[in-house]
Amino acid sequence: MSSRTAEKAKAREARLAAEQAEAQRATRGRRLKLLGLVLALAAVLVAAGILVSRSGSDDEKEATAQPETLFAGIPQDGAWLGDPQAPVVVEEYADLQCPFCARFATGELPGIVSDYVRPGKVRIRLRLLTFLGDDSVTAGRFAVAAGQQDRLWPFVEAFYAQQGRENSGYVTADFLRARAKEVPDLDADQAFTAADGAPVTKQLDANQQAAQAAKVDATPTFLVGRRGGPLAPVDGGDLRGALDAALAGQ
Amino acid sequence: MSDARLRTAALVLAVLGIGVAGYLTYVHYADLEPVCAGGGHGCEIVQASPQSELAGIPVALLGLLGYLVLAGVNLAAGEAARILGALVALVGFGFSVYLTVESVTVIEATCQWCLASLGLMTALAGVCVARLLRA
């Protein structure tokens, strides 16, 4: 009788252990399924984040790729952009660290180029200043050196598209080299060598003197006039109006 | 390791993450230069890059929100909190890996704060997944 009871108890224990093991297996399986679902959802969210991030980067790349299209086929000579015989001349005073200069370059300039410069009506000269700080000096020297290869304008556009925080030290050799890479036919090594040279210093000094003579106290500042004649500052930032007036011979 | 220890570990990691992401968010909005050990400019370059924002929102702020959520869910009890914790940590880990690859291959600069955050997110993903499996 007692052995029968013991057998029954043993069988019950075995059954309970089996049930417990089965429950544990089921729980483990459920947890692994849950982890699989969480991993899948996480992968979808990360992929979506990467897509959003890349679309933003692509916009930047388009902005930096734009200069070649923007200036393609337009004569470039040092700091000058446009036909030397254009009846109207513009001088732009800018600092590469100036956010308003970057805004003009990426906003209004493309329209000015397509409507006035490309048709040969207007020729623009970029006079770079370096008053905002050390990053302006580093960037300005390299840009003027790029101008010695007649690649100033596309380099400046590429620079503006990636303009960083003012005087944060972002204008490093690596940064400049990366921007130079975006400009076809710009020899970065040659520009680095030239950037330390006396001709670049002379050009920047000349820009500074011209700015003082024209009483330029902010950037960007535009002076407009007929070719060979005196240039006058643009009132109220209406560059198109000033260009139209100059073209009309007023 | 017991769930209580995993939970404590997750909380410590999340608090450290709040410190790192909070600092990067602060320097972003205060327009300051992040302190970079060794005097390099990698942090400024990365912070000024297009990848530092996602749909116009600073990635540092998104990271801060992620760490705050991770701290919250590891304080809370229940399965839903553990699932959310694992999900947020895995998303944070995946996106941190992507940003690190971008910073090395595209931006060509590394930010020590971002690398620290990658380390914290990696550890958090491990701890939160372990919590999900052990519960």
Side-chain angles (χ1 to χ4, degrees):
Chain A
M1 188 73 177
S2 64
S3 78
R4 206 174 156 189
T5 309
E7 269 177 24
K8 270 188 177 175
K10 204 173 173 182
R12 196 174 60 209
E13 272 175 26
R15 195 178 65 245
L16 283 172
E19 282 173 4
Q20 200 173 1
E22 181 58 33
Q24 278 177 348
R25 265 198 300 275
T27 304
R28 194 176 177 79
R30 198 176 69 82
R31 299 247 159 248
L32 285 173
K33 271 186 192 168
L34 192 58
L35 177 61
L37 282 174
V38 169
L39 277 170
L41 186 54
V44 169
L45 291 172
V46 170
I50 290 171
L51 277 176
V52 173
S53 174
R54 284 209 175 264
S55 70
S57 299
D58 288 346
D59 290 346
E60 293 286 343
K61 280 176 194 159
E62 275 173 26
T64 55
Q66 189 188 11
E68 270 317 293
T69 318
L70 182 59
F71 303 126
I74 300 175
Q76 294 182 51
D77 180 15
W80 288 97
L81 176 73
D83 184 350
Q85 300 306 314
V88 169
V89 169
V90 177
E91 283 203 350
E92 178 192 355
Y93 289 85
D95 187 306
L96 286 172
Q97 283 208 92
C98 156
F100 299 103
C101 302
R103 202 173 298 167
F104 167 77
T106 53
E108 198 174 350
L109 181 65
I112 297 285
V113 168
S114 62
D115 295 345
Y116 295 94
V117 180
R118 189 173 289 284
K121 298 176 188 172
V122 169
R123 193 181 190 211
I124 307 181
R125 178 187 206 173
L126 181 59
R127 283 194 178 274
L128 284 175
L129 304 176
T130 57
F131 66 93
L132 286 176
D134 289 345
D135 278 341
S136 297
V137 176
T138 311
R141 294 194 73 91
F142 191 89
V144 171
Q148 290 177 354
Q149 299 177 44
D150 298 333
R151 310 306 293 149
L152 171 71
W153 284 86
F155 172 77
V156 166
E157 290 300 291
F159 187 99
Y160 280 141
Q162 298 289 337
Q163 191 185 58
R165 276 200 288 277
E166 201 172 304
N167 290 325
S168 61
Y170 72 100
V171 186
T172 61
D174 286 346
F175 179 87
L176 291 172
R177 195 173 287 281
R179 302 291 74 76
K181 262 192 209 173
E182 295 162 7
V183 180
D185 302 326
L186 174 57
D187 185 329
D189 292 329
Q190 193 183 323
F192 273 116
T193 306
D196 294 328
V200 167
T201 307
K202 194 176 168 188
Q203 181 60 62
L204 288 171
D205 288 346
N207 290 350
Q208 181 59 36
Q209 285 163 14
Q212 283 170 351
K215 296 187 170 53
V216 172
D217 56 4
T219 54
T221 289
F222 301 95
L223 306 181
V224 173
R226 302 285 299 183
R227 176 165 52 94
L231 304 181
V234 174
D235 291 330
D238 182 12
L239 183 56
R240 278 180 178 270
L243 293 178
D244 290 338
L247 284 166
Q250 295 169 5
Chain B
M1 192 183 279
S2 70
D3 187 59
R5 284 191 176 180
L6 287 172
R7 202 169 164 179
T8 306
L11 277 172
V12 170
L13 291 166
V15 168
L16 289 173
I18 288 169
V20 171
Y23 172 69
L24 289 176
T25 305
Y26 168 71
V27 296
H28 175 87
Y29 285 110
D31 208 15
L32 298 171
E33 296 174 26
V35 175
C36 230
H41 294 291
C43 296
E44 291 101 85
I45 295 169
V46 172
Q47 295 304 312
S49 70
Q51 287 88 345
S52 70
E53 290 192 347
L54 189 65
I57 303 167
V59 169
L61 177 61
L62 293 174
L64 177 61
L65 293 174
Y67 284 117
L68 285 168
V69 169
L70 284 166
V73 296
N74 280 290
L75 280 171
E79 189 170 46
R82 283 193 297 272
I83 292 171
L84 184 60
L87 180 64
V88 171
L90 285 168
V91 170
F93 166 70
F95 204 66
S96 296
V97 170
Y98 160 71
L99 289 175
T100 304
V101 171
E102 284 282 295
S103 89
V104 172
T105 60
V106 179
I107 307 169
E108 295 177 351
T110 52
C111 169
Q112 293 144 9
W113 295 96
C114 307
L115 292 175
S117 181
L118 170 66
L120 290 169
M121 269 299 179
T122 306
L124 269 164
V127 172
C128 289
V129 167
R131 284 200 70 205
L132 183 65
L133 290 175
R134 288 171 64 97

